[in-house]
Amino acid sequence: MKIRLLLTSLFLSILLLSCKQSNPKEIITNEDSKPKIAERYTADWQSLKKHNAAPEWFQDAKFGIYFHWGVYSVPAFGNEWYPNKMYKPGTKEFEHHKKTYGDQSVFGYHHFIPKFTAENFDADQWADLFKKSGAKFAGPVAQHHDGFAMWDSKVNPWNAKNKGPKKDITGELAKALRKKEMKLITTFHHARNLQRNITNPNRLDAFDSHYFYNPKYHTGTKDPELGKLYGLISPKEFEQYWYDQIVEVVDQYQPDIIWFDTWFNSIDQQKVKEMCSYYFNNAKTNDQEVVIAYKQSDLPKEIGVKDIEQGGRRELGELPWMTDITLSNNSWCYVSGQTYKTADLVLRNMIDVVSKNGVVLLNISPKADGTIPLEQRKVLEELGDWFSKYGEAIYNTRPYSIFGFGTATAEAGEFGGQSATVAYTSDDVRLTQSKDGKTVYMMLLGKPQAGKKINYHMLSPHRYYPNSDVKKITLLGTNIPVEFHSDDYRQFEITIPKAPMDELSTVFKIELE
C-alpha cells in the first residue's frame, strides 16, 4: 500500500513538472502590455487646460434648469439677498424684518431655518417636470451666499439634511434626475460668504461680503458654529471651508456641471486650481465628461465655460458659452407677489442664445414648503410642448455661419452683451444646423403671415447661402412643403405656407443636396 502511494505521488510530481516545462506561466513585462494609466491633472493652469471645457453632450444639451431655493425663501420678501439686507438700516428688508419678526438682535436669519420645511418637495415630481420642460440637465443652488448647504454635509453644520427640511435635497434630486437620464448641475455662490470687512464694520455698501460684522446682531456672534453660517471665520480657515464643501459635493453626487457665481478673485488662486484639478480627476475616475461654468474672468477660457448672467452675446460666440436667466421678474427666489415672464419671451430669447453657440440655464423659484407655483409650471410646460415638436432645431445642433438677422432692438445686458428680455417678432430669424451640415433650421421668432412672400436676402447665394444646393424646405413638424426661390444675387424667397404655425416660433427645415 505504501509502495503504491509512493509511486502515485512520484507520478504526479513528474506530471506537474512536465506541465510547467511545456506551458510556463511566466509573466511578460514589456511596456506595450502594461495597462495605460490616464494622465492625472495637476493644480496648475497648463495641466488644467488639457481638459475639454465643453464636451459634446454639453454642446448638444442647450437647456438646463436650476432653482434659487433655500432659507431665504421663508421670508419671501425683497429677493434672495434678504439675509444681507435685513441687517442694513435704511433698506425695506430691514424695516420689514423688524415689523414682522422683531428686532434683528432677537430674531436672526438662522431663526428662519426651522420654517424652511420643504414638506411638499418630491424629487421625482420635480425631475419629471424638468424633463417635460425640455431641459437636459438640472439641479439646485447648492449653496447661496447665505451659508446654508442644500445637501447632506459633514463639513457644513448648517445643511438641509441636519436642519430645516431634514432632507438631502441634492442627493434625492440627483437620483431622480439620473433615473430620467438627465445630467446634474450644482451651483456654488458661497465665495462671498466670508465677512471680509470685519475690521471696517461701517462698510455696509461693500459688495464682497454677504454679512457684515455687528456685535449687536448674530453677525457678530462668538459661537464658532453660528460663525460658520455668518461667515465669521478667519480668511485662511474660510478658503479651506470653501474648498472642502465643493469637494464634498463632488465626492457624494458626482455633478456633471459645477457652476460658480464669480468671486474667484477673492479666493487664493492656488486653491482654485486645486479645486479644478480635484473635480477633473474625480470625473476621470468616474468616466465622466464634466463642465465648470464661471463668470467674468474667473478662469482661463480653455478650462471652463463662460456664463453671462441675465443676457447673451450680440454676436456668434467662437466658443460654447452659457447664460443664466430667471423665469421671474422680481427676484431669483420666490417672493410674495412674484410675477413671471411669458413662455414666448423666454423661448425666443433662448433660441437667440442657441443660435449664437450658447446654452441656457433657466432659474425657477420654489416656495419654502417645496411647491413650484402653478404660474412657473405653466411656462415650463409650454416650453416643453414647443421642444417636443421642434426640438430637432435646437438639440444636437451647431451654429450656422451666421446666427441670423432681423429688426429687434436689443438693450445692453447688465453683465455684458444684450439683455435676456428682447422683444422679438416673426421679422427676426435665427439659424442652426445639424452636426453633419446637411440640414439648416430657420426659426422665425413669432408667427408669420400665411401666404406672404418674404425675401431673406441674407441667405442668398451672394451672402450666406448654404454650402450646397437646397433640396427642399418643409414646415418642421409637418410634411408641408415650402415654396422657395433663389438666384445668383440677392434673393432667397420663401412663400409662407397656408398652414397652422406656432405662436412661439415657426421653424422651417432646409434640407441640402
Side-chain angles (χ1 to χ4, degrees):
M1 186 69 178
K2 288 182 180 181
I3 295 172
R4 183 181 296 175
L5 288 172
L6 183 61
L7 289 172
T8 302
S9 177
L10 180 62
F11 173 78
L12 290 173
S13 297
I14 294 170
L15 182 62
L16 181 59
L17 181 61
S18 172
C19 288
K20 282 183 177 180
Q21 290 173 340
S22 62
N23 186 27
K25 297 291 185 181
E26 189 176 344
I27 297 174
I28 301 173
T29 56
N30 60 67
E31 291 299 319
D32 292 336
S33 66
K34 288 182 180 179
K36 292 183 180 179
I37 300 172
E39 182 182 353
R40 306 289 287 176
Y41 294 99
T42 54
D44 61 85
W45 294 139
Q46 184 177 358
S47 174
L48 295 170
K49 285 179 181 180
K50 296 176 183 177
H51 170 72
N52 181 10
E56 188 167 8
W57 73 259
F58 177 76
Q59 296 183 59
D60 289 346
K62 310 300 184 189
F63 173 35
I65 290 175
Y66 78 139
F67 44 89
H68 279 67
W69 184 47
V71 179
Y72 44 80
S73 304
V74 175
F77 184 87
N79 57 34
E80 65 284 350
W81 280 78
Y82 186 94
N84 167 277
K85 294 179 180 180
M86 65 174 273
Y87 291 108
K88 286 185 177 181
T91 65
K92 64 181 182 179
E93 289 84 357
F94 183 88
E95 298 302 326
H96 171 81
H97 190 88
K98 288 193 72 165
K99 181 180 177 181
T100 310
Y101 305 104
D103 193 86
Q104 284 83 343
S105 63
V106 177
F107 193 105
Y109 180 65
H110 63 286
H111 290 114
F112 284 119
I113 294 175
K115 300 176 183 293
F116 179 38
T117 56
E119 69 267 25
N120 294 317
F121 169 69
D122 185 309
D124 289 316
Q125 289 183 7
W126 283 30
D128 187 57
L129 175 64
F130 299 158
K131 179 80 171 181
K132 287 179 179 177
S133 76
K136 299 298 184 181
F137 59 90
V141 168
Q143 186 177 171
H144 204 250
H145 316 147
D146 66 336
F148 189 83
M150 295 291 285
W151 70 90
D152 181 7
S153 179
K154 302 295 185 293
V155 176
N156 185 345
W158 302 91
N159 68 80
K161 179 64 175 176
N162 291 344
K163 303 178 188 294
K166 303 289 180 68
K167 298 176 182 179
D168 181 2
I169 301 297
T170 301
E172 290 184 25
L173 193 59
K175 183 178 179 181
L177 290 169
R178 283 170 172 146
K179 282 195 295 186
K180 299 283 184 182
E181 298 184 335
M182 296 176 68
K183 303 284 189 180
L184 174 68
I185 182 172
T186 54
T187 77
F188 296 93
H189 312 236
H190 65 309
R192 197 179 296 178
N193 180 250
L194 174 66
Q195 289 195 34
R196 295 185 172 91
N197 294 287
I198 191 167
T199 58
N200 191 6
N202 295 321
R203 286 290 315 278
L204 295 181
D205 61 331
F207 204 58
D208 58 356
S209 306
H210 194 69
Y211 297 106
F212 298 90
Y213 182 79
N214 191 327
K216 291 196 313 182
Y217 304 139
H218 300 96
T219 57
T221 183
K222 293 183 178 174
D223 180 286
E225 182 172 301
L226 198 54
K228 283 194 169 183
L229 180 71
Y230 289 112
L232 202 59
I233 55 181
S234 73
K236 184 176 181 181
E237 182 186 0
F238 176 78
E239 292 199 340
Q240 190 63 42
Y241 187 52
W242 172 87
Y243 172 88
D244 288 343
Q245 291 183 83
I246 299 166
V247 165
E248 186 174 53
V249 169
V250 168
D251 285 345
Q252 292 179 187
Y253 312 108
Q254 293 82 51
D256 301 284
I257 307 173
I258 53 176
W259 179 104
F260 293 94
D261 190 22
T262 194
W263 298 102
F264 277 11
N265 59 344
S266 296
I267 303 292
D268 179 78
Q269 287 302 288
Q270 189 56 36
K271 213 66 182 169
V272 173
K273 295 173 190 176
E274 289 173 13
M275 179 274 295
C276 292
S277 64
Y278 188 91
Y279 183 43
F280 294 164
N281 285 326
N282 183 276
K284 274 194 171 185
T285 301
N286 293 313
D287 197 25
Q288 276 181 293
E289 294 180 293
V290 296
V291 177
I292 292 182
Y294 69 95
K295 291 186 176 179
Q296 281 86 50
S297 57
D298 278 355
L299 289 176
K301 63 182 181 180
E302 299 90 347
I303 292 170
V305 171
K306 184 171 183 176
D307 178 278
I308 303 173
E309 182 176 332
Q310 285 282 53
R313 296 188 180 277
R314 292 186 180 274
E315 300 296 334
L316 197 157
E318 181 181 352
L319 297 173
W321 57 281
M322 177 183 268
T323 180
D324 59 308
I325 62 174
T326 184
L327 187 56
S328 54
N329 290 316
N330 303 326
S331 167
W332 289 78
C333 75
Y334 177 79
V335 294
S336 298
Q338 183 68 277
T339 60
Y340 305 97
K341 298 168 186 171
T342 57
D344 60 339
L345 181 67
V346 174
L347 178 70
R348 291 169 189 170
N349 280 271
M350 287 176 65
I351 291 172
D352 175 73
V353 169
V354 171
S355 74
K356 295 171 179 173
N357 207 17
V359 174
V360 175
L361 177 60
L362 177 65
N363 173 73
I364 63 167
S365 311
K367 291 183 176 181
D369 66 1
T371 58
I372 298 174
L374 181 62
E375 300 95 328
Q376 298 180 43
R377 289 177 172 270
K378 184 175 181 295
V379 174
L380 294 182
E381 289 167 359
E382 287 184 66
L383 294 177
D385 183 59
W386 189 91
F387 281 117
S388 69
K389 299 173 185 174
Y390 312 112
E392 177 185 335
I394 299 293
Y395 306 125
N396 307 315
T397 62
R398 294 296 180 267
Y400 188 60
S401 53
I402 56 170
F403 67 83
F405 41 86
T407 61
T409 301
E411 296 181 356
E414 184 180 352
F415 301 93
Q418 66 183 45
S419 77
T421 54
V422 180
Y424 293 110
T425 69
S426 61
D427 292 332
D428 299 295
V429 175
R430 294 296 179 264
L431 304 162
T432 59
Q433 65 179 331
S434 59
K435 285 193 275 188
D436 62 10
K438 294 181 179 179
T439 306
V440 176
Y441 299 97
M442 182 175 174
M443 291 167 275
L444 278 58
L445 304 184
K447 182 179 179 181
Q449 180 183 338
K452 185 178 180 180
K453 290 187 177 182
I454 305 175
N455 180 21
Y456 296 109
H457 66 85
M458 288 293 285
L459 292 175
S460 68
H462 183 62
R463 302 302 293 273
Y464 296 97
Y465 191 76
N467 290 329
S468 57
D469 288 337
V470 175
K471 181 166 59 177
K472 67 176 180 178
I473 302 177
T474 55
L475 185 65
L476 188 61
T478 73
N479 290 318
I480 298 172
V482 177
E483 294 181 19
F484 69 96
H485 172 74
S486 66
D487 60 25
D488 292 334
Y489 184 51
R490 287 177 57 83
Q491 192 172 50
F492 188 88
E493 187 179 78
I494 286 180
T495 302
I496 306 299
K498 294 180 179 180
M501 284 172 284
D502 199 278
E503 294 284 348
L504 303 186
S505 174
T506 295
V507 186
F508 296 124
K509 182 176 182 178
I510 304 172
E511 296 178 64
L512 308 179
E513 296 287 357

